[in-house]
Amino acid sequence: MSSITLTINGQKVSAQPGQTVLKAAQAAGIDIPTLCHHPALTASGGCRVCLVEVSGQRALQPACTFPATDRMEIQTESPKVVRARKFVLELLFSERNHFCMACEMSGGCELQTLGYRYGLDHWVYPTYTQRFAVDASPPHHLMDHNRCVLCRRCVRACAELVGNHTLDLRQRGAHSMLCADMDVPLGESTCISCGTCVNVCPTGALVDKRSAFMARPKDVARVATICTQCSLGCGLNVVMHRGQVLRLESRWEAPVNGGLLCRRGRFEALQDSRPRLLEPLIKENGRSAPTSWNWALAEVARHLHHESPQQLGLLTSTRLTNEALALLHAIFVRQLRAAHRGTCDAAPPALPFTPCGKLTDIVASDFILIVEADPARDQPVASFFIKRAVDQGTRLVTVESRSTELTAFAEASFPPRDIAIAVDLVQAAAKPVVVCGAGLRKSEADLLQKTQPKARFISLVSGVNTVTAAALGLVDRIDPAACRTLFIAVADENGTLDPLAARIDRSAFVIAMASYASPLTERADLVLPMATWLERSGGFTNTDGTQLRAHAALPPSGQSRSDWDILGRLAERLGLDARAAKADLPRCDA
Ligand code: SF4
Ligand code: SF4
Ligand code: SF4
């Protein structure tokens, strides 16, 4: 349908039929103030801050929900509108405690900004003097009811984006109060600590405990990067103040996750208290001693150079960048032809077709089949997309050996032997999505081929950059006991490689490239200190083949270096062209 034309503040504006007045104004660069509105959430028109004057309408209308029509005339800052908006703000400031100077959000609070914009310099109405408790029961965030303006952004975010439905308002009018479940403390509720509500709250009512009162919102900087805690690679912002990381925040425009983060990605990723490795170490007389990078790399090159391929092993984490994995391939596969190489993560299932689905396909689907995957445990943000789809009426069926958190959301769950029934259901659907995990068997993959090309297929691999590692032939079984020289790229792996330390031959020469001290680095004869995920930039290929780029928020600590930097220098010592190693990188869809 052709576009419509309306007039806002005397300016002709084009809009699409069905667009709200707010969207039409925003598209034309006209600012209408909002409070309960958030671009990632459905509009509710609850706070009345966005009221505008519409020709032919007796009352002022909320721009966030009022549909734009052809030849409509709008005034967004007329005296009548400003008077009404100020009245709304005066009421909001009079409820609860909005003594801004003592609030952690001062300088970044949307209510405070509106107060300045409309010249509120005193309380017109008697202020609400009742004090409310602060609910600090969740592990990572707190709820201060004194600052809440009951905009319901958090309620909508928890339901619409996360599909968790923990939050709601209880009672009515002046007695309205945000509550969790049947009014239990947040920490005892069904809250999964994803922090999405914290990120959408416009005031200081929901606060990240780690960074509370650490810096004024206007004094922080943000670095856009990706989470490397699982194979989704969710986009996020690292919030920085004076060179320190304050917290991790949603990046709403991120391609994979659209701003959603899970507890692991938003909070736990900053909680690593393991001792850092800050300088190269070499073992002398059974004790590790600091050495120089030059000496350490020369020793590594000497040992690798003199080892026979049959007794050389590479064990790598999949938390390495694309560039580092390509260098490992160039060094250990092409140059040294190491007979033993592998990771702690399972290889992606061998499929007789190419997976082509993205997370966003899940919410647009009418039928989801999950086969041998546990997204709520392994890739939590994927489970948010699935629960959202189920809320919207999408049917969910699982094929699984044991039940998972999502089993309760499924209309049917089949044991693996009955997968054919589920495949028939997929074929009968209009826009099906199949989500499979690393445990998919060959017989199941062959049966699922029948769902192609209709079904969008998403393979959820374990690990982080497993797609690239597998494409380079680095994901395999490895027996550490069979190696006389073993290079272990531990990276900032969370202990998953540690059990292998006990299986390494006592006489083997072990080189560990790692960020943190661990049983593996204790066993190592040479330790190369590596930058953490916050300290290095580089490419990643996520589980659905999307190419992503991580950006360093911090410089490498001590003498540690990025994975690709260490391996590039090692490659040069072995006579390889480090830049040419990039040719080994697989081509993946963007
Ligand atoms: S942290 Fe997540 S699950 Fe918990 S209440 Fe907020 S949005 Fe809901
Ligand atoms: S806690 Fe924040 S987002 Fe939730 S209703 Fe109150 S002010 Fe709005
Ligand atoms: S789902 Fe994975 S990538 Fe996304 S925030 Fe959680 S741990 Fe990080």
Side-chain angles (χ1 to χ4, degrees):
M1 199 175 162
S2 57
S3 60
I4 57 172
T5 305
L6 57 158
T7 308
I8 305 181
N9 300 342
Q11 179 184 335
K12 292 267 186 246
V13 167
S14 278
Q16 295 307 308
Q19 253 187 341
T20 62
V21 170
L22 179 66
K23 286 232 167 91
Q26 285 172 337
I30 298 169
D31 177 39
I32 299 176
T34 58
L35 186 61
C36 71
H37 180 76
H38 189 283
L41 305 171
T42 55
S44 73
C47 72
R48 318 311 272 183
V49 165
C50 68
L51 288 176
V52 292
E53 211 172 336
V54 183
S55 58
Q57 292 286 323
R58 197 156 43 88
L60 298 177
Q61 299 295 338
C64 69
T65 52
F66 202 75
T69 54
D70 205 23
R71 294 196 290 274
M72 183 181 259
E73 292 193 8
I74 310 281
Q75 288 295 329
T76 68
E77 295 286 339
S78 67
K80 188 176 171 185
V81 168
V82 170
R83 223 173 17 251
R85 211 169 270 156
K86 215 169 160 181
F87 174 63
V88 167
L89 290 170
E90 283 163 353
L91 289 177
L92 283 172
F93 270 100
S94 300
E95 289 180 351
R96 312 273 172 111
N97 177 334
H98 296 296
F99 190 66
C100 299
M101 286 71 81
C103 179
E104 111 93 8
M105 276 294 279
S106 186
C109 168
E110 294 180 39
L111 179 66
Q112 185 191 38
T113 304
L114 288 167
Y116 281 123
R117 177 166 169 173
Y118 288 96
L120 270 68
D121 51 12
H122 63 286
W123 277 276
V124 177
Y125 306 102
T127 54
Y128 199 83
T129 51
Q130 188 175 347
R131 281 193 191 169
F132 299 98
V134 175
D135 182 353
S137 58
H140 305 291
H141 67 286
L142 61 83
M143 167 71 212
D144 183 351
H145 292 276
N146 299 286
R147 312 283 198 209
C148 177
V149 290
L150 302 172
C151 69
R152 296 174 60 105
R153 276 195 195 179
C154 55
V155 177
R156 284 174 283 152
C158 189
E160 292 173 12
L161 302 181
V162 191
N164 215 54
H165 302 274
T166 298
L167 301 174
D168 211 334
L169 294 191
R170 65 169 163 78
Q171 300 202 41
R172 306 185 67 181
H175 299 292
S176 297
M177 187 67 63
L178 186 71
C179 69
D181 294 340
M182 300 301 280
D183 203 13
V184 297
L186 259 173
E188 294 168 24
S189 72
T190 53
C191 170
I192 52 171
S193 290
C194 70
T196 312
C197 55
V198 179
N199 234 142
V200 297
C201 181
T203 69
L206 284 164
V207 176
D208 181 332
K209 283 183 184 173
R210 184 183 201 273
S211 62
F213 297 99
M214 297 286 279
R216 293 283 189 198
K218 66 178 176 54
D219 296 331
V220 304
R222 287 176 171 79
V223 179
T225 187
I226 60 164
C227 172
T228 56
Q229 302 295 317
C230 86
S231 59
L232 289 188
C234 294
L236 54 80
N237 281 327
V238 184
V239 182
M240 307 284 301
H241 178 60
R242 294 185 184 159
Q244 302 291 318
V245 175
L246 287 182
R247 62 179 172 272
L248 305 175
E249 269 184 5
S250 294
R251 181 152 59 89
W252 298 106
E253 66 281 13
V256 174
N257 55 321
L260 294 183
L261 296 172
C262 71
R263 172 183 178 138
R264 204 186 320 156
R266 189 188 298 273
F267 298 117
E268 293 174 354
L270 295 183
Q271 286 189 316
D272 214 317
S273 57
R274 291 175 289 171
R276 275 299 301 274
L277 294 164
L278 298 172
E279 54 196 346
L281 300 171
I282 194 161
K283 209 163 255 173
E284 286 167 353
N285 304 322
R287 296 175 72 93
S288 286
T291 186
S292 68
W293 268 109
N294 257 344
W295 183 253
L297 287 172
E299 279 296 284
V300 175
R302 189 173 66 82
H303 276 274
L304 295 182
H305 200 68
H306 288 108
E307 188 53 275
S308 71
Q310 287 70 32
Q311 301 209 296
L312 178 61
L314 166 67
L315 177 59
T316 181
S317 157
T318 59
R319 289 187 181 222
L320 268 58
T321 56
N322 282 343
E323 293 83 351
L325 289 170
L327 283 160
L328 282 179
H329 179 261
I331 296 169
F332 288 90
V333 180
R334 292 199 350 190
Q335 169 96 345
L336 303 173
R337 303 195 181 282
H340 311 275
R341 45 186 195 260
T343 65
C344 54
D345 296 306
L351 298 169
F353 52 88
T354 311
C356 57
K358 304 281 174 195
L359 282 195
T360 43
D361 293 324
I362 290 174
V363 272
S365 68
D366 66 335
F367 188 95
I368 302 167
L369 172 64
I370 302 177
V371 186
E372 299 288 20
D374 188 352
R377 182 194 62 193
D378 299 330
Q379 296 88 7
V381 166
S383 75
F384 302 168
F385 278 72
I386 293 168
K387 288 194 280 182
R388 265 159 71 177
V390 171
D391 277 347
Q392 291 162 18
T394 301
R395 298 167 62 202
L396 174 66
V397 166
T398 62
V399 171
E400 55 199 13
S401 311
R402 56 169 187 267
S403 61
T404 71
E405 188 189 313
L406 288 179
T407 311
F409 294 80
E411 67 175 39
S413 294
F414 298 104
R417 66 173 178 277
D418 291 336
I419 187 172
I421 305 171
V423 168
D424 287 346
L425 292 170
V426 173
Q427 287 176 299
K431 287 176 79 178
V433 167
V434 177
V435 180
C436 81
L440 190 77
R441 297 172 192 85
K442 166 121 184 26
S443 57
E444 292 165 342
D446 289 344
L447 260 178
L448 287 170
Q449 192 170 8
K450 283 190 189 174
T451 67
Q452 299 300 300
K454 191 202 250 182
R456 308 293 288 176
F457 200 95
I458 302 170
S459 164
L460 293 178
V461 300
S462 61
V464 179
N465 207 359
T466 313
V467 171
T468 296
L472 292 170
L474 301 175
V475 180
D476 211 338
R477 293 230 171 119
I478 180 168
D479 179 9
C483 307
R484 196 167 56 194
T485 299
L486 183 59
F487 187 101
I488 312 176
V490 189
D492 47 10
E493 195 71 55
N494 208 357
T496 24
L497 290 167
D498 291 350
L500 292 167
R503 290 171 49 200
I504 299 171
D505 192 277
R506 286 167 68 92
S507 63
F509 188 82
V510 178
I511 304 141
M513 183 175 84
S515 306
Y516 298 101
S518 70
L520 275 176
T521 59
E522 270 168 40
R523 167 63 186 83
D525 299 278
L526 251 168
V527 174
L528 308 176
M530 201 192 112
T532 63
W533 72 280
L534 283 166
E535 298 168 345
R536 62 174 170 171
S537 300
F540 284 84
T541 310
N542 90 337
T543 191
D544 65 20
T546 305
Q547 294 290 343
L548 300 164
R549 185 141 282 273
H551 297 280
L554 297 167
S557 298
Q559 294 180 40
S560 68
R561 288 178 175 165
S562 295
D563 48 8
W564 46 262
D565 185 2
I566 299 169
L567 294 169
R569 289 166 196 256
L570 178 60
E572 278 165 15
R573 282 179 185 267
L574 291 165
L576 277 164
D577 179 358
R579 277 170 304 179
K582 275 195 174 175
D584 291 331
L585 283 174
R587 288 176 186 278
C588 295
D589 307 337

